[in-house]
Amino acid sequence: MREVIKKHGLTASKALGQNFLFDMQLLDRIAAVPGSLDDQSVFEVGPGPGGLTRALLQAGAKVTAVERDERCLPALSELADHFPGKLTLINEDALALDHGSLFDGPFHILSNLPYNVGSALLVKWLSAPQWPPQWQSLTLMFQREVADRIVAQPGSSAYGRLSILAQWRSTAKLAMTVHRSAFTPPPKVMSAVVHIVPTAQPEGVDFAKLEILTQTAFSQRRKMLRQSLKKLPGGLEALEQAGIDSQRRPETLAVSEFVELARLLS
Ligand code: SAM
């Protein structure tokens, strides 16, 4: 991979969140997180020079990769030549792309995400209107601190809006931590890979309701729920109907309690 970078004169761009991985053993471990990818379709965001892409192709996946930086395309085209018919490249902004229209059937999403757009992409994938979504799993690299928020349990300081959005109709686990020195150039902070798999959606609740509820509740995380939820129409009534003590703070509520509150909101 280092030779690929050298050959194509790819200097990492900070603006595009470029921190490349070259260690093929590590990349193989990341590609193994969702289970066997043999004959499976994969959507990869930000292939860069193609390290993870190569690991995915070697695992037998059919990959569609969207990369914003056109400087990476010659290196990726060379990789496509090595795996004929297995790699489709799209030179676009992943945030603007309707990824669902790219696939006929189910697919997995894997990415060493650009940190500046990571959370926005995660929320986009978690907010799929149909559930279970067309994607079967998410295997995503985040800054450690963001990964901790995604998998956090009630009572911890990391627990918040992102934990609930990621856990109310999915399981979210920390698959591995990755030392900053594994990247070129090394970022300032540690990283971790999160693995998310959809589960059944609780009835009578939609994503939008839960998003507003969690945003309101955690906008004042030190305050009692009765303070923050009075701003939501029907918020205090929902607390009462659910039998949740209005003096509790948001970080003490289980995901299932947030789901129940969202269901009861008018
Ligand atoms: N996958 C490569 C690896 O593991 O070495 C590169 C990962 S690097 C952290 C993130 C990649 O995402 C970069 O190649 C960057 O150009 C690309 N990128 C940044 N913003 C993007 C966007 N909005 N849409 C698509 N790709 C983007």
Side-chain angles (χ1 to χ4, degrees), residues 102-227:
L102 301 171
F103 299 90
D104 294 332
F107 59 96
H108 299 270
I109 299 180
L110 285 95
S111 176
N112 173 13
L113 282 171
Y115 287 145
N116 43 359
V117 293
S119 300
L121 279 170
L122 173 67
V123 172
K124 178 179 162 174
W125 292 325
L126 292 174
S127 67
Q130 288 214 338
W131 208 262
Q134 203 183 347
W135 54 264
Q136 292 175 290
S137 70
L138 305 175
T139 302
L140 308 171
M141 180 87 73
F142 286 99
Q143 289 161 273
R144 176 71 202 258
E145 176 257 327
V146 178
D148 284 345
R149 284 199 271 139
I150 295 167
V151 304
Q153 296 299 306
S156 83
S157 59
Y159 184 65
R161 172 178 162 267
L162 215 45
S163 332
I164 292 147
L165 296 184
Q167 295 175 35
W168 74 288
R169 52 179 182 176
S170 313
T171 57
K173 294 203 174 109
L174 210 66
M176 66 178 86
T177 54
V178 182
H179 197 272
R180 48 190 290 279
S181 62
F183 298 86
T184 305
K188 288 201 180 75
V189 293
M190 297 295 188
S191 296
V193 175
V194 168
H195 183 50
I196 297 177
V197 179
T199 53
Q201 170 163 340
E203 276 180 32
V205 190
D206 62 26
F207 186 88
K209 256 192 193 176
L210 203 60
E211 193 171 32
I212 290 171
L213 173 67
T214 51
Q215 213 167 340
T216 312
F218 285 100
S219 63
Q220 299 174 294
R221 63 181 301 137
R222 308 222 153 266
K223 295 242 166 94
M224 295 179 199
L225 286 165
R226 70 167 178 231
Q227 275 299 322

Side-chain angles (χ1 to χ4, degrees), residues 16-21 44 46-48 67-68 92-94 112 114:
L16 285 170
Q18 291 181 339
N19 302 98
F20 301 133
L21 289 171
E44 187 195 358
E67 172 56 61
R68 199 173 171 180
E92 271 186 51
D93 178 350
N112 173 13

